[in-house]
Amino acid sequence: MEEKIAIIALPFAGGCTNSYATLKRFTPTPFEWISIEIPGRGNRINELAIPDIESVCDDIFAQILPTIKTTEYLFFGHGMGALLGYELTRRIQQAKIPLPSCLFFTGQIAPSVVTNKKISRYDKHSFWAEIKSLGGISDALFEDQELIDFFEPTIRADYWALDHYEYRPLIERLETPIFIRTGNLDAKISAGKIDMWQEETLYPLDWDVYPGSHFFIFDDCYSIMEDLTESLDIAKSMSFSYRKY
């Protein structure tokens, strides 16, 4: 019997465990898709959302610790989920706990890149216009004012966490290969903002571009999952001789 490999999926801003449901359906053997729920959504809807990245990582770390100590795993994260995966990997490396076999991140610039676009500070109209332009959220939400009012504090808390994230340079680069995937129509992505991911890993950065906008990952779920599983094989084949960056 093949040992399970956990894909620990970390939420994008405003996302919950169900947000990745379409991707999860394409999970091949022997992988096990594990979507992480954080406060303020899904089955934790009655908890207050956490408006800072470090505290969200505290919550996630407690959830995943039993798994990562005993199971081979990788982190998948889109947008905010990529930043969470990066910060969790820093923490795991420092704690000398088994590291993820690779990091497969989508739709997110390097953590060291500063952005002046502070979405959490937008007025209500501008805030929701920005969220709608990114996609990834059902159109039904935008047609129901009560739902908008209900979910706004949680989604705004996520963007507050992103807007106030403080990058700390690594003392030692991550001993984990990083795979970055972006959409060619994603307005917030540029080569310089992605290339800086190389500063975070000892291995050569693997970056590829898909057709589509910010949420391109849902346009062709089969290809994304095939890419993810192939990336794990590539990560395993990388030798220590590549560590020259």
Side-chain angles (χ1 to χ4, degrees):
M1 179 181 294
E2 289 185 284
E3 293 290 332
K4 286 286 187 181
I5 302 168
I7 301 172
I8 299 178
L10 305 164
F12 51 82
C16 64
T17 54
N18 288 334
S19 298
Y20 289 132
T22 52
L23 277 172
K24 182 180 179 180
R25 287 199 291 269
F26 289 86
T27 306
T29 305
F31 293 87
E32 178 185 13
W33 185 280
I34 301 174
S35 284
I36 300 299
E37 195 83 278
I38 59 176
R41 66 215 76 203
N43 58 21
R44 302 182 69 181
I45 193 70
N46 293 324
E47 300 177 48
L48 289 176
I50 304 174
D52 75 271
I53 294 297
E54 186 174 351
S55 296
V56 175
C57 285
D58 288 341
D59 183 279
I60 296 172
F61 188 73
Q63 292 186 58
I64 66 175
L65 189 57
T67 298
I68 67 177
K69 281 186 171 181
T70 60
T71 307
E72 182 180 358
Y73 70 101
L74 61 90
F75 283 138
F76 169 79
H78 180 79
M80 183 181 77
L83 190 58
L84 293 171
Y86 165 74
E87 284 293 328
L88 285 164
T89 306
R90 291 180 59 133
R91 182 177 303 198
I92 289 165
Q93 180 161 297
Q94 186 175 20
K96 301 189 184 307
I97 297 168
L99 285 160
S101 297
C102 71
L103 307 178
F104 191 91
F105 295 154
T106 59
Q108 180 60 33
I109 59 177
S112 61
V113 178
V114 177
T115 174
N116 294 320
K117 198 172 190 179
K118 306 299 183 183
I119 298 174
S120 64
R121 300 176 186 174
Y122 287 9
D123 62 68
K124 191 181 191 72
H125 175 77
S126 299
F127 178 78
W128 282 105
E130 181 72 23
I131 300 304
K132 188 172 185 179
S133 72
L134 290 172
I137 296 179
S138 171
D139 289 339
L141 172 63
F142 300 101
E143 298 169 1
D144 190 320
Q145 189 60 48
E146 288 187 6
L147 284 178
I148 287 176
D149 293 341
F150 181 79
F151 284 109
E152 182 170 339
T154 293
I155 299 176
R156 197 178 282 271
D158 287 350
Y159 280 98
W160 182 272
L162 289 170
D163 290 345
H164 292 82
Y165 169 73
E166 294 185 5
Y167 172 76
R168 298 159 295 134
L170 290 169
I171 297 174
E172 296 182 352
R173 295 188 189 189
L174 299 178
E175 298 179 20
T176 302
I178 298 178
F179 297 81
I180 302 294
R181 303 293 183 258
T182 57
N184 67 337
L185 300 179
D186 191 340
K188 76 173 188 175
I189 301 295
S190 67
K193 294 178 179 180
I194 296 298
D195 289 345
M196 292 300 292
W197 274 109
Q198 182 61 78
E199 298 302 313
E200 312 302 328
T201 177
L202 290 170
Y203 293 95
L205 178 68
D206 187 304
W207 174 31
D208 201 1
V209 180
Y210 278 75
S213 55
H214 183 61
F215 280 98
F216 69 93
I217 57 172
F218 298 122
D219 296 338
D220 186 351
C221 294
Y222 176 81
S223 293
I224 293 295
M225 290 303 297
E226 184 178 45
D227 189 359
L228 186 153
T229 54
E230 289 177 354
S231 294
L232 179 60
D233 290 336
I234 294 170
K236 288 182 175 181
S237 71
M238 287 182 177
S239 68
F240 285 94
S241 63
Y242 285 123
R243 298 185 178 193
K244 59 186 179 183
Y245 288 86

